[in-house]
Amino acid sequence: MNLLVIGATGRTGSEIVAEASGRGHDVTGVATSSDTIEDVRVYPDDELPELLADADVAIDFTVPSASHEYAALAAEAGVPYVVGTTGFDEDGLDALRAASESTPVLKASNFARGVQALLRVVEAGAEALPDYDIELTETHHNGKRDAPSGTAKTLLDVIDSAREDALDRVHGREGEHEREDSEVGVHVRRAGNVRGEHEVLLADNDEVLTLTHRAESRRVFAAGAVDAAEWLLGREAGWYDFEDVL
Ligand SMILES: NC(=O)c1ccc[n+]([C@@H]2O[C@H](COP(=O)([O-])OP(=O)(O)OC[C@H]3O[C@@H](n4cnc5c(N)ncnc54)[C@H](OP(=O)(O)O)[C@@H]3O)[C@@H](O)[C@H]2O)c1
């Protein structure tokens, strides 16, 4: 298929270009500037409307402030849209949902299959241990802009839905503060080139259960995103997630 990778010069986008080219897709890249990645031509994003006219599916790994505008252009062109970008506010999410009324939109905060499994295991753990304290820690490379990560927010949503009592998200801790049972602590680290690490810790006074996922390479996100693009081709307009692909 003709695949448009938006954010093709980025850490993840360049892996997606390599993965999709390796699978035999015709790949075109888009970024804010022109470039060449893996012999694939990358065009500046002001050429997006013309490029979408020839695309079967677009994959977007950019920044939320640009991504929802790109999604609107894809919707206008009727091109299925895979969104890996994270950090959207409610307005950005509304814009993506509006795009999904006229084209299929698949959004996932994490395209690693292991993270999808982690979500199910965390849900089971939170349900099975209803009185245990829960703390979440995520670590990413020093170039990541949004915090906590999209995956951390998805994990917190899963924990929320598994617990009957509403949990208060406490971001970091400082000073004198007694831990309340209703808290879930959220801790964010940014350092080096860490691809992405998420740990959920459940504990009472006598035992500790830790559930951890670590991405060893960005290839795992690229493979998942290209799987999603292949799956999305030919679907009806609507809102999809990576779970649908799996
Ligand atoms: N869902 C997942 O599985 C998953 C996995 C990894 C990352 N992510 C998310 O994917 C997004 C990209 O991450 P990354 O680490 O690959 O980012 P990155 O290395 O900073 O790359 C960003 C890419 O977006 C392009 N871009 C387009 N419009 C832009 C704008 N207005 N401002 C800045 N850049 C723009 C950049 O082009 P230029 O280089 O020409 O500026 C570049 O190609 C982030 O939101 C990240 O959290 C999601």
Side-chain angles (χ1 to χ4, degrees), residues 24-225:
H25 296 301
D26 283 330
V27 183
T28 305
V30 177
T32 56
S33 49
S34 49
D35 204 339
T36 302
I37 304 282
E38 303 263 343
D39 295 331
V40 165
R41 180 116 181 253
V42 179
Y43 295 84
D45 58 357
D46 54 7
E47 294 188 37
L48 196 52
E50 298 82 66
L51 295 167
L52 280 163
D54 288 328
D56 294 318
V57 180
I59 301 180
D60 173 329
F61 277 68
T62 58
V63 289
S65 54
S67 180
H68 67 267
E69 288 169 22
Y70 298 152
L73 291 171
E76 239 170 72
V79 175
Y81 208 69
V82 175
V83 190
T85 304
T86 59
F88 290 96
D89 58 15
E90 272 311 313
D91 288 347
L93 287 174
D94 284 348
L96 290 182
R97 285 189 200 106
S100 75
E101 285 167 19
S102 39
T103 200
V105 173
L106 189 152
K107 182 179 181 314
S109 57
N110 199 306
F111 280 98
R113 284 165 188 259
V115 163
Q116 298 304 316
L118 176 70
L119 292 170
R120 289 194 288 272
V121 173
V122 165
E123 184 178 26
E127 278 172 1
L129 307 170
D131 300 324
Y132 283 39
D133 296 332
I134 303 183
E135 298 277 311
L136 184 152
T137 304
E138 61 103 333
T139 310
H140 280 87
H141 56 89
N142 56 23
K144 185 164 177 63
R145 299 165 202 236
D146 55 314
S149 68
T151 306
K153 289 179 185 165
T154 306
L155 283 163
L156 289 164
D157 289 345
V158 162
I159 292 164
D160 261 343
S161 63
R163 285 286 171 104
E164 279 178 10
D165 45 330
L167 292 175
D168 302 319
R169 299 174 187 189
V170 177
H171 297 272
R173 286 198 178 79
E174 193 182 28
E176 293 229 1
H177 174 84
E178 200 167 313
R179 193 186 195 285
E180 305 285 341
D181 290 343
S182 61
E183 286 180 9
V184 54
V186 185
H187 309 280
V188 173
R189 302 188 296 184
R190 294 286 174 263
N193 192 27
V194 179
R195 271 72 166 171
E197 208 173 290
H198 293 87
E199 181 197 272
V200 176
L201 177 152
L202 299 104
D204 77 349
N205 289 342
D206 302 305
E207 64 175 345
V208 175
L209 170 66
T210 52
L211 304 167
T212 306
H213 178 273
R214 190 171 55 247
E216 301 281 4
S217 115
R218 292 190 176 89
R219 270 205 305 277
V220 71
F221 308 127

